[in-house]
Amino acid sequence: MKNISKSLIDRLLDGEKVICEACVKSYYKPLNPDAKVNHYYKCPECGNTIHFDPVVDID
């Protein structure tokens, strides 16, 4: 998987339909669409995935 820009992550988190960079035939869909926030997205057409870990600040 290629390096994911922050803007792509922001677009996904904002609910924007982002076209799959691998097959360019479908859009990334959240693994759990009922969750408030998703960190894993998958293309239903080719199976390409995007996964990112949230930043956690520990005080």
Side-chain angles (χ1 to χ4, degrees):
M1 181 169 68
K2 65 190 213 177
N3 209 1
I4 301 171
S5 69
K6 183 171 172 51
S7 63
L8 175 61
I9 293 169
D10 287 339
R11 290 169 51 203
L12 287 167
L13 289 174
D14 288 342
E16 182 180 331
K17 291 176 81 174
V18 178
I19 195 138
C20 176
E21 295 176 344
C23 71
V24 194
K25 293 180 181 177
S26 187
Y27 297 92
Y28 291 110
K29 299 191 187 245
L31 181 66
N32 182 1
D34 295 330
K36 197 173 201 177
V37 177
N38 282 279
H39 298 110
Y40 188 87
Y41 294 81
K42 184 174 183 177
C43 172
E45 184 72 30
C46 71
N48 188 38
T49 60
I50 293 178
H51 176 258
F52 58 94
D53 294 321
V55 176
V56 177
D57 292 328
I58 300 174
D59 292 330

